[in-house]
Amino acid sequence: MRVVEFTHMVMGPTCGMLLADLGAEVIKIEPIGGDTTRTLLGSGAGFFPMFNRNKKSIALDLKQSEGVAAALRLIATADVVSENFKPGVMDRLGLGYAALKARDPRIVYVSHKGFLPGPYEHRTALDEVVQMMGGLAYMTGRPGDPLRAGTSVNDIMGGMFGAIGAMAALAQREKTGAGCEVQASLFENNVFLVGQHMMQFAATGKPAAPMPSRISAWAIYDVFTVRGGEQIFLAVVSDRQWAVFCRAFGLTALRDDPRLSTNNDRVQARDWLMPQLRAHLADRDAADLAAVFEAEGLPFAPITRPEQLFDDPHLAATGGLAPIRMNDGRMSRVPLLPFTLDGAQPQIHEQPPRVGEHTDALLREAGYGEAEIAAFRSRAIVQ
């Protein structure tokens, strides 16, 4: 299965990465000089190695007709085309869905956009934009203080849905012989994410409160500050777990209190119950609490920073982090896809490509001779 992608940043590259990890040959068409994602700083510094493994790179100047012609030769050998440019850009290049469908009705064309077609489709969208307008920032922050989620949730999930759509379209093509256009979007993805809060309002008639001030469905479901200022998340989410928790921590009186018989009773009692529990556990070590919760089968979690995951013993034991080449050539490790096929997570078989690393080989495969390739280089049509 061959995929030709015209993508940058996170959403489009995520789609290609998923398909590449699952075995597709993914050809990344970059501009001369390379995808600008390669040179991002700050929170974008890891975007390129994270989302562009297992791909090949060819650099083409699509502002020159020969560059577009080369792209079309590659597309003629492809099953899927993926792009995440502003609406109209691919059409102007002659690389939009209508033009490619006319050449090959079997093509599957995946567009990653800010919005599905409608009143908002002309707007420029970012993950943060749709989090703000789609209710996620409101739900994440404290009341009056909207806050974006701590990762590119819509970009990544939007790319995932693009890949799911592509695979569904390919499966449909096996039956019908026809490809189709798949559209995935940031805004609709965000609305899907907050759908549970929309349905909470539909069910109760009461607006969902931001997560920091929500009424939890479970009484003990919170972060506790314990000895030395350490923090740990602890949860008790059933009546059976409540009995186990009380036994393990010597809380017989609370276990036998009729006001706390059921989970819903404990939710209603949170105002006076939680201060007692916090005081009772405040002098315990976080590691000690974790050991007890693990031994008793109760939910818990240390409060972990992203950089600490490089040393996570579970990831080390399962091989969940694989060697990856960074933009500057150094090697690091990167998370693999979070599922297994026959017991193994899909692996990295190609490091993130250097700009134009596969240009010559792909052009030769597409039928260009050495003299043509040299002429293209002399005119900066390829890199």
Side-chain angles (χ1 to χ4, degrees):
M1 199 67 65
R2 173 173 272 192
V3 179
V4 173
E5 70 169 31
F6 301 80
T7 70
H8 59 290
M9 298 298 281
V10 175
M11 189 184 186
T14 296
C15 175
M17 178 199 71
L18 286 162
L19 297 173
D21 279 15
L22 292 173
E25 179 191 24
V26 177
I27 298 170
K28 183 179 183 69
I29 295 185
E30 301 190 59
I32 303 300
D35 180 351
T36 57
T37 308
R38 293 175 178 272
T39 58
L40 292 176
L41 302 177
S43 60
F47 283 179
F48 193 86
M50 176 70 198
F51 301 111
N52 289 282
R53 64 195 186 214
N54 290 336
K55 300 179 183 180
K56 297 177 179 179
S57 168
I58 178 172
L60 299 175
D61 182 357
L62 298 178
K63 295 178 182 178
Q64 300 193 57
S65 60
E66 294 91 341
V68 173
L72 287 171
R73 284 205 196 184
L74 291 172
I75 290 169
T77 68
D79 299 279
V80 177
V81 171
S82 175
E83 61 90 17
N84 69 331
F85 286 93
K86 291 182 179 179
V89 170
M90 295 295 282
D91 289 329
R92 289 194 295 274
L93 292 170
L95 300 172
Y97 176 60
L100 298 188
K101 180 182 179 182
R103 289 171 169 266
D104 179 9
R106 290 175 55 82
I107 199 72
V108 171
Y109 193 95
V110 187
S111 290
H112 301 86
K113 302 301 182 186
F115 306 89
L116 294 181
Y120 296 159
E121 65 180 309
H122 66 283
R123 297 186 184 180
T124 299
L126 301 168
D127 204 315
E128 199 145 342
V129 168
V130 300
Q131 288 193 38
M132 295 293 173
M133 67 184 295
L136 183 57
Y138 172 83
M139 289 303 302
T140 303
R142 297 180 178 87
D145 183 23
L147 181 67
R148 69 157 285 163
T151 189
S152 303
V153 288
N154 292 296
D155 279 315
I156 295 169
M157 284 190 63
M160 288 171 57
F161 280 119
I164 292 168
M167 290 186 282
L170 290 168
Q172 177 178 273
R173 191 180 75 174
E174 290 297 308
K175 297 180 179 181
T176 67
C180 72
E181 183 180 18
V182 176
Q183 294 185 341
S185 77
L186 293 175
F187 178 62
E188 280 78 5
N189 181 83
N190 188 95
V191 173
F192 184 77
L193 281 172
V194 300
Q196 67 190 81
H197 305 305
M198 296 167 65
M199 292 300 97
Q200 179 183 341
F201 176 75
T204 67
K206 298 178 180 179
M211 296 299 277
S213 61
R214 73 193 184 281
I215 299 175
S216 174
W218 301 281
I220 296 88
Y221 196 79
D222 215 333
V223 175
F224 287 72
T225 300
V226 294
R227 180 179 292 174
E230 288 189 283
Q231 292 184 307
I232 185 170
F233 173 81
L234 304 175
V236 179
V237 298
S238 71
D239 294 339
R240 186 196 66 81
Q241 289 185 4
W242 172 248
V244 171
F245 171 75
C246 289
R247 173 184 53 77
F249 291 98
L251 296 167
T252 305
L254 291 179
R255 182 196 63 194
D256 296 337
D257 190 326
R259 297 173 297 171
L260 304 173
S261 297
T262 69
N263 176 71
N264 286 350
D265 290 332
R266 294 188 292 276
V267 170
Q268 297 295 328
R270 273 180 60 91
D271 286 348
W272 62 265
L273 174 60
M274 288 300 292
Q276 288 192 35
L277 295 181
R278 292 186 189 282
H280 187 76
L281 300 177
D283 289 334
R284 303 287 291 263
D285 289 320
D288 173 48
L289 289 170
V292 175
F293 266 65
E294 185 161 15
E296 298 289 353
L298 297 173
F300 75 97
I303 310 303
T304 303
R305 298 189 300 273
E307 66 272 16
Q308 295 174 311
L309 293 172
F310 285 111
D311 300 314
D312 184 271
H314 178 82
L315 295 174
T318 62
L321 301 178
I324 197 77
R325 185 175 64 208
M326 303 299 288
N327 296 335
D328 61 4
R330 291 180 300 110
M331 296 300 294
S332 184
R333 287 171 294 151
V334 71
L336 295 174
L337 294 186
F339 59 83
T340 63
L341 299 172
D342 279 337
Q345 290 176 263
Q347 296 295 305
I348 296 175
H349 48 83
E350 295 281 351
Q351 290 296 322
R354 297 182 177 89
V355 181
E357 182 175 341
H358 305 90
T359 294
D360 287 7
L362 289 169
L363 289 176
R364 291 189 197 102
E365 183 184 331
Y368 289 99
E370 297 300 327
E372 290 176 288
I373 295 172
F376 282 174
R377 288 195 177 277
S378 69
R379 295 173 54 199
I381 294 170
V382 304
Q383 179 183 353

